[in-house]
Amino acid sequence: MTDSTPSSTGSTTGSTLRQALVRAYLTIDPRSLGLGRIALALVLLLDLARRIPGLALWYSNDGLLPNHMMLWRPPTQWMFSLFFLASWTDEAALGFVVCGFVYLALLIGWRTRLFQVLALIALWSLHSRVTFVENGGDWMLGELTLWTAFLPLGRRFSVDAVLAARRRAAPPAASDADADGPVISVAVLALLVQLAVSYLFNALHKGGPTWREGSAVHMVLHQDRMVTAFGVWMRPHMTPLLSRALSYGSLVMEGLLPPLILSPWRQRFTRRLAIAFMLALHIGLQMFINVGVFSWAMIAYAPFLLTPADWQALSARRRLAKLGGRLSARAQALVVRIGRACRPSSALSTLSALAPPAAPKIPAVQQLRRLLTLAREGAAALMLVVLLTELFIGNPLLSTKVRLWQPGWVKALVAYPRLIQAWTMFAPDAPTVDETVVVDAVTADGRHVDPYSDRAGRYANPGSDRIPARLDNDSFFFNYSARIPFNSQYWGALQEWILAYPNRTGRAEDRIVHFDASIVEDDSPPLGQTQPSKVRARVFLSWPRH
């Protein structure tokens, strides 16, 4: 039977389609993984650094979220954090140092596989300890760290890659000429799906009046708790036309990103356009408002969208060819000889001694590697299924239409890594009400102080009759302020922290004899106006209790 028979033709077509799908959704260039590792590690370090100023406040028993309270009244049933072992600030600080070392090792790509797993544990520990003040940026960063834990991030641009080249008795430049083959993994598909659904459902949920009339960006700029200095400067310049253009533009980009990310056709073009949209969206968002690590976490996904064609365009060989081939083959050979001559007594020789020797290529070792690969891919596939089921459980758009039941072990696999798929940021509407928390405390010598505002933002005692422009709260404080009035189980810790005010100031006359904690709100101005209205305050906690 010749190749032109129907069965042969169908088999060939099926094989071609399968190969095309594998290339489109399961394959990634190792250089993209290497650059993605660097971006991920930098964002992890940024996330760690932004938590340092609130180390005592959020990670010790002297703060607003003592560990015994979080364990006794957990925000979610399943939490894992090594920081629950730390009660005091210096203990938590030691944990931060360990996390920093892990992230730095991941950044340079030393023992990358090990530190990918340790980075995931470090991130879970940092985030789960303060789940009460987390946001979507924490989720996206955790999910990126989770999916990339299944991928070989250390093949390129890493200490591990340099050491591997030296073990092959060739300098790094020579080994780079023979680039590693593409990586094929279920985790690549999971990462693409994760990124696409986050944009898809954020766009689909934005159906409220502020998005339909184009006032969303204007409203966001009047969130004094999170607006940046640039955002405050932009307020008088944010005309109705400009607000509509930015609001509709962000909606269009969010809506186009999922098909651009998942398109199997012309990926060089669609992925580049997706990266451009992501940079425009999140750099613009970060300029206007402080949303914690969200924008940087989303940007850290971008390197994983780079295709082999992008790397070919950026390669030194292509640049040198365009310049007329200034480096001849003889010069390249000379570089190789110099590299081999300089091999002994270098800093890399020391690192080489730390690296594990190459495994002998014997059948037993090869079989073990196959089993480990199967286990890794199976675990990635399982977590991808968990992600898809959570879309139908935790996403408001789908949970109202499709009823699914999750067994307890699936719920745990969602909760522990924070694989939450709600995606309702500024949806269905941008916030039209601004809010903050103030404390009117009376000291032993009759003064009125606000221990909370003094620590939370730029105003030591703003009072309850207004919300000042640009409170300059970080994401932890504005999330805490939005949630604490409605979670009475955590009021005891807030009360103890307020009453400990003289311990922090070191002044006996700062002893608190009475306080009222209030939530203050105002209505953001309509499109075309700049002044908020209808300021109101409601006391939610008093001491001594009336």
Side-chain angles (χ1 to χ4, degrees):
M1 186 175 293
T2 66
D3 289 343
S4 61
T5 61
S7 60
S8 176
T9 303
S11 175
T12 302
T13 303
S15 176
T16 302
L17 177 61
R18 183 168 60 252
Q19 291 173 5
L21 291 175
V22 168
R23 283 196 304 271
Y25 298 118
L26 299 176
T27 306
I28 192 169
D29 192 290
R31 290 164 291 187
S32 301
L33 292 178
L35 182 60
R37 184 199 76 249
I38 294 170
L40 170 62
L42 288 173
V43 177
L44 289 172
L45 286 166
L46 173 65
D47 181 57
L48 180 68
R50 75 189 185 98
R51 295 169 189 270
I52 292 175
L55 181 64
L57 191 69
W58 307 116
Y59 287 89
S60 81
N61 286 352
D62 290 331
L64 292 168
L65 300 174
N67 56 17
H68 53 272
M69 180 190 72
M70 301 306 294
L71 289 169
W72 185 251
R73 300 285 188 183
T76 181
Q77 183 177 353
W78 293 278
M79 294 192 309
F80 168 81
S81 174
L82 294 175
F83 282 94
F84 283 128
L85 300 174
S87 297
W88 309 113
T89 303
D90 54 353
E91 296 171 349
L94 178 60
F96 272 47
V97 171
V98 173
C99 291
F101 174 77
V102 170
Y103 294 163
L104 284 172
L106 181 65
L107 176 66
I108 65 174
W110 177 62
R111 301 289 181 101
T112 312
R113 283 288 195 184
L114 170 63
F115 284 102
Q116 283 178 254
V117 175
L118 294 180
L120 189 59
I121 295 173
L123 185 76
W124 287 350
S125 295
L126 283 166
H127 289 192
S128 294
R129 173 62 179 84
V130 292
T131 305
F132 187 70
V133 292
E134 70 180 355
N135 66 11
D138 299 322
W139 299 349
M140 285 304 293
L141 181 56
E143 287 153 0
L144 178 59
T145 311
L146 170 66
W147 299 123
T148 55
F150 297 104
L151 296 168
L153 301 185
R155 282 196 186 180
R156 300 300 296 267
F157 314 137
S158 65
V159 172
D160 287 345
V162 174
L163 295 178
R166 292 184 63 81
R167 286 197 297 270
R168 293 193 297 268
S175 64
D176 286 347
D178 301 321
D180 293 335
V183 174
I184 300 175
S185 173
V186 175
V188 177
L189 174 62
L191 192 150
L192 294 174
V193 169
Q194 179 66 79
L195 187 59
V197 299
S198 68
Y199 285 116
L200 174 64
F201 288 101
N202 263 319
L204 292 177
H205 282 125
K206 290 180 169 71
T210 58
W211 290 103
R212 292 198 303 269
E213 69 184 20
S215 63
V217 170
H218 165 84
M219 291 297 180
V220 166
L221 288 184
H222 286 275
Q223 291 293 299
D224 295 310
R225 53 192 172 137
M226 62 177 72
V227 69
T228 63
F230 178 76
V232 172
W233 178 84
M234 274 296 298
R235 283 175 179 171
H237 306 286
M238 186 57 63
T239 63
L241 179 60
L242 180 58
S243 178
R244 292 189 183 101
L246 293 176
S247 300
Y248 297 150
S250 63
L251 267 181
V252 169
M253 285 191 284
E254 276 194 342
L256 288 177
L257 272 167
L260 289 174
I261 292 167
L262 297 178
S263 172
W265 300 287
R266 301 189 65 188
Q267 285 191 335
R268 179 178 179 178
F269 170 74
T270 61
R271 295 282 180 87
R272 286 181 179 180
L273 190 57
I275 291 172
F277 281 178
M278 290 167 64
L279 292 175
L281 268 175
H282 297 294
I283 292 176
L285 183 69
Q286 192 67 34
M287 290 174 64
F288 286 155
I289 56 173
N290 176 11
V291 286
V293 78
F294 176 73
S295 293
W296 307 118
M298 299 304 295
I299 290 173
Y301 280 80
F304 297 98
L305 298 180
L306 292 172
T307 65
D310 296 316
W311 289 106
Q312 290 172 8
L314 292 171
S315 67
R317 182 178 297 177
R318 175 71 61 84
R319 292 198 302 270
L320 289 174
K322 289 181 178 179
L323 291 172
R326 295 178 181 176
L327 186 62
S328 67
R330 181 176 296 179
Q332 292 183 35
L334 180 61
V335 170
V336 171
R337 292 195 191 99
I338 293 173
R340 287 175 177 171
C342 296
R343 198 185 318 156
S345 68
S346 67
L348 290 177
S349 298
T350 305
L351 291 175
S352 180
L354 298 175
K361 294 183 178 180
I362 57 177
V365 172
Q366 292 176 348
Q367 187 66 21
L368 178 60
R369 286 180 175 175
R370 290 193 191 99
L371 291 174
L372 290 174
T373 299
L374 286 174
R376 184 181 67 245
E377 292 302 303
L382 173 63
M383 293 306 296
L384 176 57
V385 172
V386 170
L387 181 155
L388 295 174
T389 61
E390 177 60 16
L391 274 175
F392 290 94
I393 300 294
N395 194 286
L397 198 64
L398 296 179
S399 61
T400 57
K401 296 178 175 61
V402 180
R403 297 289 181 179
L404 283 184
W405 174 77
Q406 279 182 326
W409 64 271
V410 174
K411 293 179 180 178
L413 287 177
V414 171
Y416 279 122
R418 314 303 292 152
L419 202 62
I420 300 167
Q421 303 297 319
W423 308 127
T424 56
M425 184 177 183
F426 298 147
D429 272 307
T432 58
V433 174
D434 197 12
E435 61 189 359
T436 188
V437 165
V438 299
V439 174
D440 180 20
V442 181
T443 63
D445 58 356
R447 290 174 294 113
H448 286 256
V449 296
D450 185 344
Y452 185 81
S453 298
D454 184 50
R455 181 66 179 82
R458 303 171 65 223
Y459 302 91
N461 194 355
S464 60
D465 59 343
R466 67 187 182 106
I467 299 179
R470 191 175 170 241
L471 290 170
D472 200 22
N473 295 160
D474 61 29
S475 66
F476 306 113
F477 265 112
F478 68 64
N479 285 328
Y480 183 88
S481 297
R483 294 165 187 170
I484 190 62
F486 311 102
N487 288 271
S488 58
Q489 67 271 32
Y490 303 138
W491 290 354
L494 174 59
Q495 175 180 303
E496 290 181 8
W497 183 82
I498 294 171
L499 294 178
Y501 180 62
N503 297 339
R504 296 188 293 274
T505 64
R507 292 160 45 95
E509 57 269 31
D510 287 339
R511 179 174 60 87
I512 304 297
V513 297
H514 171 75
F515 75 79
D516 290 321
S518 305
I519 178 172
V520 183
E521 299 174 319
D522 66 29
D523 292 346
S524 300
L527 191 61
Q529 300 182 25
T530 58
Q531 293 302 315
S533 61
K534 298 181 180 178
V535 180
R536 61 248 184 216
R538 176 179 64 84
V539 175
F540 66 89
L541 174 64
S542 293
W543 183 88
R545 302 238 174 133
H546 299 304

